PDB file of all heavy atoms in Angstrom:
ATOM      1  N   GLN V  96      -9.337   5.494   8.022  1.00  0.00           N
ATOM      2  CA  GLN V  96      -8.993   4.094   8.319  1.00  0.00           C
ATOM      3  C   GLN V  96      -7.966   3.595   7.326  1.00  0.00           C
ATOM      4  O   GLN V  96      -8.168   3.724   6.118  1.00  0.00           O
ATOM      5  CB  GLN V  96     -10.262   3.203   8.301  1.00  0.00           C
ATOM      6  CG  GLN V  96      -9.996   1.750   8.620  1.00  0.00           C
ATOM      7  CD  GLN V  96      -9.551   1.560  10.032  1.00  0.00           C
ATOM      8  OE1 GLN V  96      -9.881   2.323  10.930  1.00  0.00           O
ATOM      9  NE2 GLN V  96      -8.747   0.556  10.285  1.00  0.00           N
ATOM     10  N   ILE V  97      -6.847   3.118   7.797  1.00  0.00           N
ATOM     11  CA  ILE V  97      -5.801   2.546   6.921  1.00  0.00           C
ATOM     12  C   ILE V  97      -6.146   1.101   6.756  1.00  0.00           C
ATOM     13  O   ILE V  97      -6.130   0.327   7.682  1.00  0.00           O
ATOM     14  CB  ILE V  97      -4.382   2.683   7.547  1.00  0.00           C
ATOM     15  CG1 ILE V  97      -4.138   4.138   7.936  1.00  0.00           C
ATOM     16  CG2 ILE V  97      -3.333   2.142   6.604  1.00  0.00           C
ATOM     17  CD1 ILE V  97      -4.102   5.110   6.741  1.00  0.00           C
ATOM     18  N   ASN V  98      -6.466   0.697   5.520  1.00  0.00           N
ATOM     19  CA  ASN V  98      -6.743  -0.708   5.231  1.00  0.00           C
ATOM     20  C   ASN V  98      -5.979  -1.139   3.967  1.00  0.00           C
ATOM     21  O   ASN V  98      -5.258  -0.365   3.362  1.00  0.00           O
ATOM     22  CB  ASN V  98      -8.260  -0.881   5.065  1.00  0.00           C
ATOM     23  CG  ASN V  98      -8.872  -0.026   4.003  1.00  0.00           C
ATOM     24  OD1 ASN V  98      -8.214   0.387   3.087  1.00  0.00           O
ATOM     25  ND2 ASN V  98     -10.141   0.316   4.145  1.00  0.00           N
ATOM     26  N   ALA V  99      -6.159  -2.392   3.595  1.00  0.00           N
ATOM     27  CA  ALA V  99      -5.444  -2.966   2.460  1.00  0.00           C
ATOM     28  C   ALA V  99      -5.786  -2.234   1.152  1.00  0.00           C
ATOM     29  O   ALA V  99      -4.927  -2.070   0.285  1.00  0.00           O
ATOM     30  CB  ALA V  99      -5.766  -4.429   2.316  1.00  0.00           C
ATOM     31  N   ASP V 100      -7.051  -1.798   0.994  1.00  0.00           N
ATOM     32  CA  ASP V 100      -7.447  -1.089  -0.195  1.00  0.00           C
ATOM     33  C   ASP V 100      -6.718   0.254  -0.314  1.00  0.00           C
ATOM     34  O   ASP V 100      -6.272   0.670  -1.377  1.00  0.00           O
ATOM     35  CB  ASP V 100      -8.957  -0.835  -0.216  1.00  0.00           C
ATOM     36  CG  ASP V 100      -9.762  -2.104  -0.365  1.00  0.00           C
ATOM     37  OD1 ASP V 100      -9.206  -3.076  -0.911  1.00  0.00           O
ATOM     38  OD2 ASP V 100     -10.933  -2.117   0.037  1.00  0.00           O
ATOM     39  N   LEU V 101      -6.608   0.957   0.808  1.00  0.00           N
ATOM     40  CA  LEU V 101      -5.874   2.244   0.768  1.00  0.00           C
ATOM     41  C   LEU V 101      -4.383   2.050   0.495  1.00  0.00           C
ATOM     42  O   LEU V 101      -3.800   2.761  -0.309  1.00  0.00           O
ATOM     43  CB  LEU V 101      -6.029   3.000   2.114  1.00  0.00           C
ATOM     44  CG  LEU V 101      -5.301   4.329   2.226  1.00  0.00           C
ATOM     45  CD1 LEU V 101      -5.820   5.314   1.168  1.00  0.00           C
ATOM     46  CD2 LEU V 101      -5.401   4.907   3.581  1.00  0.00           C
ATOM     47  N   ILE V 102      -3.784   1.016   1.099  1.00  0.00           N
ATOM     48  CA  ILE V 102      -2.342   0.730   0.822  1.00  0.00           C
ATOM     49  C   ILE V 102      -2.201   0.354  -0.662  1.00  0.00           C
ATOM     50  O   ILE V 102      -1.235   0.804  -1.281  1.00  0.00           O
ATOM     51  CB  ILE V 102      -1.910  -0.400   1.710  1.00  0.00           C
ATOM     52  CG1 ILE V 102      -2.097  -0.036   3.149  1.00  0.00           C
ATOM     53  CG2 ILE V 102      -0.486  -0.851   1.374  1.00  0.00           C
ATOM     54  CD1 ILE V 102      -0.894   0.287   3.972  1.00  0.00           C
ATOM     55  N   ALA V 103      -3.094  -0.438  -1.228  1.00  0.00           N
ATOM     56  CA  ALA V 103      -3.003  -0.767  -2.645  1.00  0.00           C
ATOM     57  C   ALA V 103      -3.132   0.482  -3.516  1.00  0.00           C
ATOM     58  O   ALA V 103      -2.441   0.647  -4.515  1.00  0.00           O
ATOM     59  CB  ALA V 103      -4.071  -1.782  -2.984  1.00  0.00           C
ATOM     60  N   TYR V 104      -4.048   1.366  -3.115  1.00  0.00           N
ATOM     61  CA  TYR V 104      -4.213   2.625  -3.868  1.00  0.00           C
ATOM     62  C   TYR V 104      -2.951   3.462  -3.810  1.00  0.00           C
ATOM     63  O   TYR V 104      -2.491   4.024  -4.816  1.00  0.00           O
ATOM     64  CB  TYR V 104      -5.407   3.370  -3.318  1.00  0.00           C
ATOM     65  CG  TYR V 104      -5.622   4.720  -3.929  1.00  0.00           C
ATOM     66  CD1 TYR V 104      -6.062   4.822  -5.253  1.00  0.00           C
ATOM     67  CD2 TYR V 104      -5.464   5.889  -3.194  1.00  0.00           C
ATOM     68  CE1 TYR V 104      -6.306   6.068  -5.819  1.00  0.00           C
ATOM     69  CE2 TYR V 104      -5.715   7.150  -3.793  1.00  0.00           C
ATOM     70  CZ  TYR V 104      -6.107   7.206  -5.111  1.00  0.00           C
ATOM     71  OH  TYR V 104      -6.321   8.415  -5.698  1.00  0.00           O
ATOM     72  N   LEU V 105      -2.349   3.579  -2.608  1.00  0.00           N
ATOM     73  CA  LEU V 105      -1.110   4.396  -2.463  1.00  0.00           C
ATOM     74  C   LEU V 105       0.024   3.717  -3.227  1.00  0.00           C
ATOM     75  O   LEU V 105       0.890   4.385  -3.783  1.00  0.00           O
ATOM     76  CB  LEU V 105      -0.765   4.523  -0.966  1.00  0.00           C
ATOM     77  CG  LEU V 105      -1.729   5.363  -0.124  1.00  0.00           C
ATOM     78  CD1 LEU V 105      -1.375   5.308   1.339  1.00  0.00           C
ATOM     79  CD2 LEU V 105      -1.799   6.771  -0.649  1.00  0.00           C
ATOM     80  N   GLU V 106       0.025   2.405  -3.218  1.00  0.00           N
ATOM     81  CA  GLU V 106       1.051   1.676  -4.000  1.00  0.00           C
ATOM     82  C   GLU V 106       0.943   1.979  -5.473  1.00  0.00           C
ATOM     83  O   GLU V 106       1.936   2.239  -6.135  1.00  0.00           O
ATOM     84  CB  GLU V 106       0.811   0.185  -3.766  1.00  0.00           C
ATOM     85  CG  GLU V 106       1.992  -0.722  -3.867  1.00  0.00           C
ATOM     86  CD  GLU V 106       1.652  -2.129  -3.462  1.00  0.00           C
ATOM     87  OE1 GLU V 106       0.476  -2.531  -3.331  1.00  0.00           O
ATOM     88  OE2 GLU V 106       2.601  -2.895  -3.294  1.00  0.00           O
ATOM     89  N   ASP V 107      -0.281   2.050  -5.977  1.00  0.00           N
ATOM     90  CA  ASP V 107      -0.545   2.354  -7.387  1.00  0.00           C
ATOM     91  C   ASP V 107      -0.160   3.812  -7.724  1.00  0.00           C
ATOM     92  O   ASP V 107       0.494   4.073  -8.692  1.00  0.00           O
ATOM     93  CB  ASP V 107      -1.989   2.112  -7.715  1.00  0.00           C
ATOM     94  CG  ASP V 107      -2.278   2.223  -9.200  1.00  0.00           C
ATOM     95  OD1 ASP V 107      -1.504   1.718  -9.997  1.00  0.00           O
ATOM     96  OD2 ASP V 107      -3.300   2.857  -9.514  1.00  0.00           O
ATOM     97  N   LEU V 108      -0.546   4.726  -6.806  1.00  0.00           N
ATOM     98  CA  LEU V 108      -0.207   6.170  -7.017  1.00  0.00           C
ATOM     99  C   LEU V 108       1.288   6.383  -7.038  1.00  0.00           C
ATOM    100  O   LEU V 108       1.776   7.202  -7.833  1.00  0.00           O
ATOM    101  CB  LEU V 108      -0.833   7.004  -5.898  1.00  0.00           C
ATOM    102  CG  LEU V 108      -2.237   7.427  -6.047  1.00  0.00           C
ATOM    103  CD1 LEU V 108      -2.667   8.262  -4.781  1.00  0.00           C
ATOM    104  CD2 LEU V 108      -2.495   8.241  -7.284  1.00  0.00           C
ATOM    105  N   SER V 109       2.007   5.716  -6.184  1.00  0.00           N
ATOM    106  CA  SER V 109       3.446   5.960  -6.087  1.00  0.00           C
ATOM    107  C   SER V 109       4.284   5.076  -6.989  1.00  0.00           C
ATOM    108  O   SER V 109       5.506   5.249  -7.077  1.00  0.00           O
ATOM    109  CB  SER V 109       3.895   5.720  -4.631  1.00  0.00           C
ATOM    110  OG  SER V 109       3.698   4.356  -4.278  1.00  0.00           O
ATOM    111  N   CYS V 110       3.591   4.169  -7.768  1.00  0.00           N
ATOM    112  CA  CYS V 110       4.303   3.248  -8.680  1.00  0.00           C
ATOM    113  C   CYS V 110       5.298   2.443  -7.912  1.00  0.00           C
ATOM    114  O   CYS V 110       6.427   2.198  -8.406  1.00  0.00           O
ATOM    115  CB  CYS V 110       4.917   3.985  -9.837  1.00  0.00           C
ATOM    116  SG  CYS V 110       3.755   4.852 -10.891  1.00  0.00           S
ATOM    117  N   LEU V 111       4.986   2.033  -6.707  1.00  0.00           N
ATOM    118  CA  LEU V 111       5.856   1.188  -5.907  1.00  0.00           C
ATOM    119  C   LEU V 111       5.139  -0.159  -5.635  1.00  0.00           C
ATOM    120  O   LEU V 111       3.944  -0.209  -5.680  1.00  0.00           O
ATOM    121  CB  LEU V 111       6.150   1.852  -4.560  1.00  0.00           C
ATOM    122  CG  LEU V 111       6.948   3.149  -4.640  1.00  0.00           C
ATOM    123  CD1 LEU V 111       7.028   3.798  -3.239  1.00  0.00           C
ATOM    124  CD2 LEU V 111       8.356   2.927  -5.157  1.00  0.00           C
ATOM    125  N   ASN V 112       5.929  -1.169  -5.408  1.00  0.00           N
ATOM    126  CA  ASN V 112       5.388  -2.476  -5.014  1.00  0.00           C
ATOM    127  C   ASN V 112       5.985  -2.815  -3.659  1.00  0.00           C
ATOM    128  O   ASN V 112       7.207  -2.847  -3.492  1.00  0.00           O
ATOM    129  CB  ASN V 112       5.743  -3.538  -6.065  1.00  0.00           C
ATOM    130  CG  ASN V 112       5.054  -3.283  -7.374  1.00  0.00           C
ATOM    131  OD1 ASN V 112       3.865  -2.926  -7.408  1.00  0.00           O
ATOM    132  ND2 ASN V 112       5.799  -3.395  -8.428  1.00  0.00           N
ATOM    133  N   PHE V 113       5.116  -3.165  -2.717  1.00  0.00           N
ATOM    134  CA  PHE V 113       5.578  -3.561  -1.384  1.00  0.00           C
ATOM    135  C   PHE V 113       5.302  -4.993  -1.101  1.00  0.00           C
ATOM    136  O   PHE V 113       4.282  -5.567  -1.579  1.00  0.00           O
ATOM    137  CB  PHE V 113       4.844  -2.711  -0.310  1.00  0.00           C
ATOM    138  CG  PHE V 113       5.078  -1.240  -0.419  1.00  0.00           C
ATOM    139  CD1 PHE V 113       4.096  -0.351  -0.834  1.00  0.00           C
ATOM    140  CD2 PHE V 113       6.329  -0.711  -0.065  1.00  0.00           C
ATOM    141  CE1 PHE V 113       4.299   0.976  -0.953  1.00  0.00           C
ATOM    142  CE2 PHE V 113       6.508   0.646  -0.192  1.00  0.00           C
ATOM    143  CZ  PHE V 113       5.539   1.495  -0.593  1.00  0.00           C
ATOM    144  N   ALA V 114       6.166  -5.662  -0.340  1.00  0.00           N
ATOM    145  CA  ALA V 114       5.941  -7.008   0.129  1.00  0.00           C
ATOM    146  C   ALA V 114       4.833  -6.935   1.209  1.00  0.00           C
ATOM    147  O   ALA V 114       4.568  -5.844   1.745  1.00  0.00           O
ATOM    148  CB  ALA V 114       7.247  -7.597   0.732  1.00  0.00           C
ATOM    149  N   ASP V 115       4.220  -8.087   1.498  1.00  0.00           N
ATOM    150  CA  ASP V 115       3.147  -8.103   2.514  1.00  0.00           C
ATOM    151  C   ASP V 115       3.597  -7.616   3.850  1.00  0.00           C
ATOM    152  O   ASP V 115       2.876  -6.881   4.523  1.00  0.00           O
ATOM    153  CB  ASP V 115       2.559  -9.505   2.602  1.00  0.00           C
ATOM    154  CG  ASP V 115       1.802  -9.928   1.362  1.00  0.00           C
ATOM    155  OD1 ASP V 115       1.323  -9.019   0.643  1.00  0.00           O
ATOM    156  OD2 ASP V 115       1.626 -11.142   1.116  1.00  0.00           O
ATOM    157  N   SER V 116       4.862  -7.954   4.241  1.00  0.00           N
ATOM    158  CA  SER V 116       5.344  -7.487   5.542  1.00  0.00           C
ATOM    159  C   SER V 116       5.510  -5.973   5.512  1.00  0.00           C
ATOM    160  O   SER V 116       5.318  -5.297   6.523  1.00  0.00           O
ATOM    161  CB  SER V 116       6.687  -8.218   5.866  1.00  0.00           C
ATOM    162  OG  SER V 116       7.620  -7.896   4.872  1.00  0.00           O
ATOM    163  N   GLU V 117       5.971  -5.457   4.371  1.00  0.00           N
ATOM    164  CA  GLU V 117       6.153  -3.969   4.235  1.00  0.00           C
ATOM    165  C   GLU V 117       4.803  -3.284   4.262  1.00  0.00           C
ATOM    166  O   GLU V 117       4.705  -2.212   4.841  1.00  0.00           O
ATOM    167  CB  GLU V 117       6.865  -3.656   2.956  1.00  0.00           C
ATOM    168  CG  GLU V 117       8.314  -4.101   2.934  1.00  0.00           C
ATOM    169  CD  GLU V 117       8.965  -3.872   1.597  1.00  0.00           C
ATOM    170  OE1 GLU V 117       8.341  -4.061   0.546  1.00  0.00           O
ATOM    171  OE2 GLU V 117      10.121  -3.410   1.591  1.00  0.00           O
ATOM    172  N   LYS V 118       3.800  -3.921   3.668  1.00  0.00           N
ATOM    173  CA  LYS V 118       2.463  -3.288   3.676  1.00  0.00           C
ATOM    174  C   LYS V 118       1.923  -3.160   5.122  1.00  0.00           C
ATOM    175  O   LYS V 118       1.347  -2.190   5.499  1.00  0.00           O
ATOM    176  CB  LYS V 118       1.498  -4.080   2.816  1.00  0.00           C
ATOM    177  CG  LYS V 118       1.754  -3.963   1.338  1.00  0.00           C
ATOM    178  CD  LYS V 118       0.790  -4.853   0.554  1.00  0.00           C
ATOM    179  CE  LYS V 118       1.168  -4.884  -0.915  1.00  0.00           C
ATOM    180  NZ  LYS V 118       0.247  -5.704  -1.682  1.00  0.00           N
ATOM    181  N   ALA V 119       2.153  -4.235   5.894  1.00  0.00           N
ATOM    182  CA  ALA V 119       1.673  -4.174   7.306  1.00  0.00           C
ATOM    183  C   ALA V 119       2.406  -3.072   8.067  1.00  0.00           C
ATOM    184  O   ALA V 119       1.772  -2.315   8.811  1.00  0.00           O
ATOM    185  CB  ALA V 119       1.927  -5.527   7.966  1.00  0.00           C
ATOM    186  N   GLN V 120       3.730  -2.978   7.875  1.00  0.00           N
ATOM    187  CA  GLN V 120       4.499  -1.952   8.566  1.00  0.00           C
ATOM    188  C   GLN V 120       4.080  -0.554   8.069  1.00  0.00           C
ATOM    189  O   GLN V 120       3.944   0.371   8.852  1.00  0.00           O
ATOM    190  CB  GLN V 120       5.984  -2.162   8.339  1.00  0.00           C
ATOM    191  CG  GLN V 120       6.858  -1.151   9.027  1.00  0.00           C
ATOM    192  CD  GLN V 120       6.706  -1.188  10.580  1.00  0.00           C
ATOM    193  OE1 GLN V 120       6.667  -2.258  11.166  1.00  0.00           O
ATOM    194  NE2 GLN V 120       6.625  -0.033  11.160  1.00  0.00           N
TER     195      GLN V 120
END
């Protein structure tokens, strides 16, 4: 399941920051 927690985890792993619209996409 792709959820906000997983996206935040991937964001942290990749050292990237995404805007909310980018996170949804």
Side-chain angles (χ1 to χ4, degrees):
Q96 182 65 29
I97 306 297
N98 56 27
D100 292 336
L101 179 62
I102 301 254
Y104 177 67
L105 293 174
E106 207 173 15
D107 187 45
L108 276 179
S109 63
C110 297
L111 296 173
N112 294 316
F113 298 109
D115 290 337
S116 61
E117 291 175 318
K118 290 178 186 181
Q120 182 63 43

